[in-house]
Amino acid sequence: VMCGSGIHLDEVKAKAAPNCVFPGWVEKDHIASLSACASLGIAPYFTSITYTRNTPNKVGEYLSASLPMLVGVTGTMQDLVEKHHCGMYYKDGAELTEAVLRYYNDPALLEQQSKNARALYEARFNGDIINQQMLDYVAEVVETYRA
């Protein structure tokens, strides 16, 4: 299932296998149900400063669903998946194919990286935890300036 849209969508559809489904842009509820059926998340962003220095929402969505990610840009996302062992970087279609096949042929790798993805989500992307950490930090700053 390939969700979303983009300038190359027609080209991707033309090259896709007959069993690929393209639902277009999907809302939050649909993302959750599709993620529950998935084994991997692909983040096929193009190389730009926007994507090399940031982590788009899709990253948190994949991690929350325990999905290892295949990322196609260098920078922050690549560093994240490599450091936390919850995905792989690919530079072209051949490497993307190799990565998918590696997970397919190594269920233990998929299982471990799925656990790592969820652990990273809990540590760095879970809104409840992050919000509490921010509140604690602000309270600490206020106390510092009161003293």
Side-chain angles (χ1 to χ4, degrees), residues 60-71:
E61 290 170 359
Y62 288 158
L63 295 174
S64 73
S66 303
L67 297 175
M69 290 180 293
L70 301 173
V71 298

Side-chain angles (χ1 to χ4, degrees), residues 84-138:
H84 297 278
H85 307 286
C86 60
M88 295 180 198
Y89 165 77
Y90 66 91
K91 67 179 175 189
D92 56 29
E95 285 191 5
L96 175 60
T97 300
E98 286 177 28
V100 170
L101 289 173
R102 184 167 174 210
Y103 285 112
Y104 180 80
N105 291 318
D106 191 348
L109 175 66
L110 178 62
E111 182 179 349
Q112 184 57 57
Q113 291 206 354
S114 294
K115 290 177 183 176
N116 295 348
R118 185 60 193 194
L120 177 57
Y121 170 77
E122 291 297 338
R124 297 206 19 215
F125 290 86
N126 183 318
D128 294 335
I129 293 170
I130 301 304
N131 289 340
Q132 187 58 55
Q133 289 172 340
M134 180 59 88
L135 288 173
D136 293 345
Y137 176 73
V138 170

